[in-house]
Amino acid sequence: MPELLRTEALAKHFDSTAGLFGPKTVVRAVDGVSFSMQKGEVFAVVGESGCGKSTLARVILRLTEATAGKAWFDGVDLFGLNRAELKALRRRMQVIFQDPFASLNPRMRILDAVGEPLVIHKEASGPELRQRVYSLLERVGLPNSAAERYPHEFSGGQRQRICIARAMALEPDLIVADEPLSALDVSIQAQVINLLDDLRKQHHLSYLLISHDLHVVQHFADRVAVMYLGVIVEEGTAEDIFNAPLHPYTEALLSAVPEPDPEKRRHRIVLPGDVPSPTQIPSGCRFHPRCPKSFEPCDKVVPGLIENQGRRTACHLVNPV
Amino acid sequence: MSLLSVRSLTVHIPRGPLVTRAVENLSFDINRGEVFGLVGESGCGKSMTALAVMGLLPTAARIVKGEIVFENKNLVGQPDSVLRTIRGNRVAMIFQEPMTSLNPVFTVGFQIAELLMTHKGLSKRAGMDMAVDLLGKVKVPSPELRVHQYPHQMSGGMRQRVMIAMALACEPAFIIADEPTTALDVTIQAQILELLEELRESTGTSMLFITHDLGLVSEISDRLTVMYAGAAMEQSEASRVFSRPGHPYTRGLLDSLPVERGRRLRPIPGTVPTAENFPPGCRFSPRCAFRIEACDKAEPELRELQAGHWIRCIRAEEIARA
């Protein structure tokens, strides 16, 4: 499969001040992320709050500018584009956000919300626009009558369908989905997963899925990158990661997910302490203060993300110094 | 002998000409030392049940029927002065969002001490000393320093530990935990679960554990009730609900869970009914894969199919065999 998206040592640092007059600190939200995703793939970035997964998505979408590093979309240097070129490229890269309540303008009819990308990119207007919106709504399982209504008249699941219809309007190649299911109840979440799966098959879509929900990722993703404090600690196929995690953080993360089926339960590994602040990143391996398996080189030597048999791991246990 | 007994609890919220049936005919008993789970999706009435038990229902909501018997006393209809001696003392509550349930302008130590001053008549100094002990008990590192901190100086996991310390302060007989880990990351959730399990072993406190997370409820509770649109759909031992779910809704929830890779999910079609479109007969029938004509005729009873396993479905026997 050809490559769709690649990043190299991507970084996003934010300046922040501790208190009103305190010293300047640097939040290293994304701190050197390199990965490559293929066309047609569902590539998931997982991790806990503050690991930098959403910032990574925003940098790739150029909703915020990268501090360092490079990214290519289908061979095009994403950070070398001028405004017009970026606008043209955005047709091929769309986004769905977590909160379907916040991402729809409450004063815009669904017709205008879903049709807006088509208007901006001068794809359709008038009766043709209406027809296009109808067909988009149909694709996400909503009736034509929805077009005349306002966001408040819809449930969370329906609003997320509307956001998906809007993201589909320009027939993109890539949809960046930042926690698209987190605000939804289980029974509705399953409807939306199936919808995303169908759209992917029908339209040869790729998804960059940002999620903290490991059940969803296990079910839906082809490849998974696990992030911790701004870096990828492990990456591989979903099978590899979920069946045989190599990094101690991945292992602990998977063991901590509550499992309804008593037979599938793993022994719960409880990590001590909290995730350190991204302003004070620990020396050596950034996971070492919480790692149950940390040993001598871990607090001194930064482990590289080393590839072996199609998966990458950043851990001294897996790749001895 | 059960510690808490909820009998036919019915809570209505009038909304103009309509009534939202927040909780309907809900009954359960919680024994001493038991963790009882209430699980369901948004709006199923699980949090309203907790608030009713605590006597903290929003002003619009009315308990129209039922009893809440705690330590042989019916709490329904008791004046607030009586409930206040029970709340935070005999019954404690842990809420979902520790940031909004802690007061931002007082130190966490003072907030714990205040409880002990109110309910146990301790002096402020004795209360603060006790707060240090309690923070140690819930494994807050360096409790003697943390006791002087404000909530915003702590992480979400730490704040939830403070909430648990507050809940434990008066050695309650019973704790209501309403989505206590929902705002936390999974590795922090694992820490809190471990703590709750240890405290349960050491104190023998009973717990009503409310969550939307099927995995979580099955790991932590002994018995549970699955709620849908205000009513109990299934009630049984936690292990049985997951190995042999009896109600089509429980089955639907489990089939909706993305647990197995590549398997097409079987979502429950449609959405939860609102006051405007509440169905006659079984409230789940419009979304049910097993619906027959009789389902729309009358509300099915909650029936005990096997000892301790209750199901609200007229076709439960057939479905169990299928």
Side-chain angles (χ1 to χ4, degrees):
Chain A
M1 274 189 297
E3 185 178 79
L4 182 67
L5 180 69
R6 184 153 70 91
T7 73
E8 215 175 85
L10 209 56
K12 176 69 192 179
H13 296 172
F14 297 96
D15 290 329
S16 108
T17 315
L20 200 53
F21 306 106
K24 275 220 159 48
T25 52
V26 177
V27 178
R28 295 196 270 169
V30 177
D31 207 17
V33 167
S34 306
F35 74 92
S36 152
M37 76 174 273
Q38 314 301 308
K39 280 187 180 149
E41 201 168 53
V42 178
F43 189 95
V45 180
V46 303
E48 300 179 279
S49 343
C51 74
K53 55 191 193 302
S54 289
T55 306
L56 177 68
R58 295 177 62 86
V59 168
I60 289 167
L61 288 162
R62 281 198 60 181
L63 295 174
T64 180
E65 294 301 313
T67 309
K70 293 193 150 198
W72 295 266
F73 178 82
D74 211 3
V76 179
D77 178 0
L78 271 176
F79 302 149
L81 299 173
N82 63 30
R83 276 179 76 109
E85 289 165 337
L86 181 63
K87 186 177 165 188
L89 195 82
R90 284 225 170 107
R91 299 169 65 110
R92 302 181 56 196
M93 261 166 109
Q94 292 287 314
V95 60
I96 309 169
F97 293 104
Q98 170 172 357
D99 187 349
F101 292 81
S103 45
L104 287 170
N105 185 334
R107 296 168 73 161
M108 259 168 109
R109 280 178 309 170
I110 304 310
L111 173 71
D112 303 313
V114 173
E116 196 177 26
L118 296 169
V119 173
I120 289 174
H121 290 275
K122 301 192 173 64
E123 283 254 327
S125 59
E128 195 206 336
L129 179 69
R130 183 171 288 270
Q131 280 311 313
R132 293 274 291 269
V133 170
Y134 285 165
S135 104
L136 285 162
L137 290 174
E138 193 186 318
R139 261 189 245 169
V140 298
L142 290 172
N144 285 354
S145 60
E148 307 307 327
R149 293 160 67 188
Y150 287 88
H152 74 266
E153 299 174 66
F154 296 91
S155 67
Q158 288 169 325
R159 287 187 211 201
Q160 203 54 299
R161 287 173 188 272
I162 293 164
C163 294
I164 294 169
R166 183 174 57 183
M168 292 295 297
L170 295 165
E171 308 271 335
D173 298 307
L174 173 70
I175 289 186
V176 178
D178 188 358
E179 303 273 12
L181 306 161
S182 307
L184 308 178
D185 272 319
V186 177
S187 69
I188 306 302
Q189 180 178 304
Q191 297 173 1
V192 176
I193 293 178
N194 280 351
L195 172 65
L196 289 173
D197 199 29
D198 291 341
L199 292 173
R200 171 198 187 188
K201 285 174 186 143
Q202 291 155 10
H203 300 274
H204 310 288
L205 271 170
S206 310
Y207 293 113
L208 178 63
L209 175 68
I210 310 293
S211 181
H212 73 283
D213 186 330
L214 292 152
H215 277 141
V216 168
V217 169
Q218 174 174 24
H219 180 83
F220 195 48
D222 299 311
R223 290 188 77 78
V224 179
V226 182
M227 280 184 77
Y228 184 79
L229 263 186
V231 295
I232 294 177
V233 294
E234 179 163 14
E235 189 225 307
T237 63
E239 278 96 340
D240 281 349
I241 299 279
F242 285 94
N243 295 338
L246 291 178
H247 197 287
Y249 177 63
T250 316
E251 212 180 350
L253 198 60
L254 295 183
S255 82
V257 180
E259 178 59 62
D261 185 346
E263 285 176 13
K264 282 197 199 156
R265 255 168 231 166
R266 302 169 196 245
H267 172 69
R268 195 193 295 152
I269 302 166
V270 179
L271 296 175
D274 282 312
V275 180
S277 153
T279 56
Q280 286 163 2
I281 296 198
S283 62
C285 170
R286 31 192 94 195
F287 182 55
H288 87 262
R290 303 177 75 203
C291 182
K293 293 177 177 172
S294 104
F295 61 117
E296 184 245 311
C298 296
D299 62 343
K300 296 182 192 73
V301 187
V302 176
L305 187 61
I306 291 167
E307 178 160 358
N308 186 14
Q309 296 182 331
R311 59 193 293 188
R312 300 188 296 162
T313 321
C315 178
H316 293 310
L317 272 178
V318 183
N319 312 300
V321 187
Chain B
M1 235 281 301
S2 58
L3 178 71
L4 176 80
S5 178
V6 172
R7 292 276 137 253
S8 311
L9 179 69
T10 304
V11 178
H12 283 179
I13 306 172
R15 278 182 45 215
L18 296 162
V19 167
T20 299
R21 301 194 256 174
V23 182
E24 251 187 338
N25 271 321
L26 182 68
S27 300
F28 58 86
D29 293 279
I30 301 179
N31 300 315
R32 286 183 197 278
E34 189 177 38
V35 176
F36 190 87
L38 272 187
V39 62
E41 301 180 284
S42 334
C44 72
K46 53 192 193 301
S47 291
M48 279 295 165
T49 306
L51 294 173
V53 173
M54 292 294 280
L56 292 173
L57 281 173
T59 42
R62 295 270 174 279
I63 296 181
V64 295
K65 199 176 88 182
E67 296 185 331
I68 298 166
V69 180
F70 174 70
E71 293 184 324
N72 299 319
K73 186 188 258 179
N74 184 7
L75 302 183
V76 176
Q78 294 282 357
D80 212 43
S81 55
V82 173
L83 293 176
R84 232 178 278 146
T85 61
I86 297 171
R87 272 199 301 259
N89 188 21
R90 300 300 299 153
V91 183
M93 192 154 178
I94 307 169
F95 294 95
Q96 170 171 352
E97 211 347 289
M99 197 62 212
T100 54
S101 24
L102 290 170
N103 191 328
V105 303
F106 293 110
T107 63
V108 296
F110 178 73
Q111 296 185 55
I112 299 171
E114 193 185 23
L115 265 169
L116 294 159
M117 287 148 68
T118 310
H119 289 297
K120 301 287 182 207
L122 261 57
S123 67
K124 189 180 168 198
R125 173 166 300 180
M128 288 299 275
D129 288 346
M130 184 90 185
V132 176
D133 289 349
L134 283 161
L135 288 179
K137 203 166 163 189
V138 296
K139 296 190 181 148
V140 170
S142 16
E144 62 290 344
L145 300 176
R146 292 287 192 164
V147 80
H148 301 297
Q149 287 193 332
Y150 292 89
H152 76 268
Q153 293 171 296
M154 302 185 141
S155 68
M158 270 318 139
R159 286 198 287 260
Q160 203 53 293
R161 284 174 194 269
V162 171
M163 284 295 295
I164 295 170
M166 288 176 75
L168 294 172
C170 298
E171 300 180 323
F174 182 59
I175 293 178
I176 298 176
D178 189 359
E179 304 266 10
T181 59
T182 305
L184 306 175
D185 277 314
V186 279
T187 63
I188 307 301
Q189 168 171 290
Q191 294 174 353
I192 299 292
L193 288 183
E194 190 185 55
L195 175 66
L196 288 175
E197 280 166 9
E198 281 172 20
L199 292 172
R200 176 193 184 187
E201 296 266 311
S202 60
T203 63
T205 311
S206 309
M207 196 165 18
L208 177 62
F209 196 97
I210 296 172
T211 180
H212 70 284
D213 186 326
L214 293 159
L216 194 55
V217 76
S218 78
E219 284 197 7
I220 197 150
S221 48
D222 302 309
R223 288 185 306 132
L224 58 82
T225 287
V226 180
M227 288 184 77
Y228 179 78
M233 292 287 134
E234 184 160 3
Q235 194 172 99
S236 114
E237 282 163 28
S239 53
R240 187 151 46 180
V241 171
F242 292 93
S243 52
R244 299 171 65 189
H247 196 280
Y249 176 60
T250 318
R251 285 189 166 211
L253 281 180
L254 290 170
D255 282 341
S256 299
L257 271 188
V259 282
E260 208 176 303
R261 208 182 137 63
R263 180 177 66 89
R264 176 99 177 152
L265 296 177
R266 282 168 293 173
I268 305 172
T271 50
V272 180
T274 58
E276 288 81 24
N277 62 7
F278 214 85
C282 174
R283 60 194 71 208
F284 184 61
S285 73
R287 305 177 71 190
C288 183
F290 298 91
R291 174 193 194 173
I292 52 173
E293 229 173 80
C295 296
D296 299 328
K297 294 267 154 51
E299 169 98 67
E301 294 291 316
L302 192 62
R303 296 178 295 140
E304 188 167 21
L305 263 79
Q306 285 172 39
H309 193 173
W310 297 74
I311 300 172
R312 190 187 295 278
C313 175
I314 53 170
R315 300 187 67 195
E317 288 87 351
E318 293 168 65
I319 293 168
R321 269 181 264 118

